[in-house]
Amino acid sequence: MPKNTKYDLIIFDWDGTIANSAGIIVESIKEVCASEKLSTPSDHEVRSIIGLGLNEAFNKIFPNIKDKELQNVQDLYRDAYLKRVDKICLFDGVEIGIKGLAFQGYHLAIATGKSRRGLNNALNKSSLSNFFKVTKTMDECFSKPHPQMINEILDAFMIEPNKALMIGDSSYDLEMATNAKIDAVGVSYGAQMHAQLVDYKPLTIVDNPYDLFEWLNKNG
């Protein structure tokens, strides 16, 4: 463990926190709306559901679509997203920041609304898979903001809540941290803006990854 630090475990969201994918998610949903002649949500509306599990996200953004039709829309979205997935990259500064935390001895984990398959593909593409010893996805746990993902991560590392920190770009990440009784840091460079995060009382809200890892090095 890193010496003289407040936290032993740092849990990251993926989309919008590590990976610059929010724009691709917006584009993919808009493509589906156009092809199916659905009312197209605004960019703000789409960004507001990033972080939820797919079922919860689509039920929220398409409240009038039910059952089989909603499943079809989800399948079309997956196809649209996969066409664009190779365009997704890590935010500048994230890779070196993650490797620096690992070198210092922190336990690192992922809690994401992505599917297991989607996260594994993203991790392998990013060359970061070896740095996250525990990862939780929407396939295995309740959707954020339910605390199950964090609770299972804490159990896996046998770490108390006061020694863990959650980092995410959505209100769901921060609310999940509150529900799990751990500290959180918000990032405003992903899906949601500062105003959408501040009500959940994170320790701080940072505007870019360089500021995030600088904060962690001083306060983590």
Side-chain angles (χ1 to χ4, degrees):
M1 283 295 91
K3 295 180 180 179
N4 302 317
T5 58
K6 184 174 183 180
Y7 303 106
D8 294 337
L9 167 64
I10 303 177
I11 305 169
F12 288 86
D13 169 56
W14 186 265
D15 287 313
T17 301
I18 287 178
N20 188 2
S21 51
I24 298 300
I25 294 171
V26 172
E27 286 180 19
S28 301
I29 288 179
K30 286 188 171 183
E31 178 184 315
V32 173
C33 290
S35 69
E36 297 299 291
K37 297 181 172 56
L38 300 172
S39 177
T40 303
S42 68
D43 288 12
H44 175 78
E45 288 172 322
V46 176
R47 286 174 176 269
S48 73
I49 53 90
I50 294 174
L52 292 173
L54 199 59
N55 285 334
E56 291 78 10
F58 274 61
N59 277 312
K60 188 170 184 178
I61 205 166
F62 299 118
N64 298 319
I65 302 177
K66 302 299 180 185
D67 303 333
K68 189 176 292 187
E69 185 181 357
L70 187 63
Q71 183 61 55
N72 179 58
V73 170
Q74 290 185 27
D75 291 342
L76 291 172
Y77 164 75
R78 289 189 184 93
D79 292 342
Y81 181 84
L82 286 172
K83 287 193 303 185
R84 297 169 168 84
V85 71
D86 288 340
K87 297 179 182 179
I88 296 173
C89 59
L90 302 184
F91 286 105
D92 289 345
V94 163
E95 182 172 357
I96 191 169
I98 293 293
K99 290 179 178 178
L101 293 175
F103 180 77
Q104 292 175 64
Y106 288 99
H107 291 305
L108 302 178
I110 295 289
T112 178
K114 296 180 78 64
S115 67
R116 169 53 59 192
R117 178 181 177 185
L119 178 62
N120 287 350
N121 288 342
L123 281 168
N124 291 333
K125 179 186 173 187
S126 71
S127 300
L128 292 179
S129 58
N130 290 335
F131 298 99
F132 296 103
K133 301 305 181 186
V134 178
T135 60
K136 295 294 176 178
T137 73
M138 70 171 188
D139 299 335
E140 302 139 359
C141 300
F142 291 117
S143 176
K144 302 172 186 179
H146 193 284
Q148 183 183 3
M149 290 187 191
I150 290 177
N151 290 338
E152 291 192 1
I153 291 169
L154 293 174
D155 288 345
F157 286 112
M158 294 185 290
I159 286 175
E160 295 298 318
N162 67 310
K163 298 296 288 183
L165 178 70
M166 177 72 207
I167 299 171
D169 68 312
S170 78
S171 56
Y172 311 111
D173 297 315
L174 305 187
E175 187 178 358
M176 177 175 65
T178 298
N179 292 339
K181 298 180 173 57
I182 72 169
D183 289 342
V185 167
V187 304
S188 62
Y189 55 80
Q192 295 186 16
M193 298 180 292
H194 188 285
Q196 295 169 277
L197 304 175
V198 68
D199 287 346
Y200 294 90
K201 298 180 173 58
L203 299 178
T204 189
I205 299 173
V206 296
D207 297 327
N208 63 73
Y210 295 103
D211 288 348
L212 170 62
F213 291 104
E214 181 178 354
W215 187 93
L216 289 171
N217 285 328
K218 289 180 179 178
N219 301 280

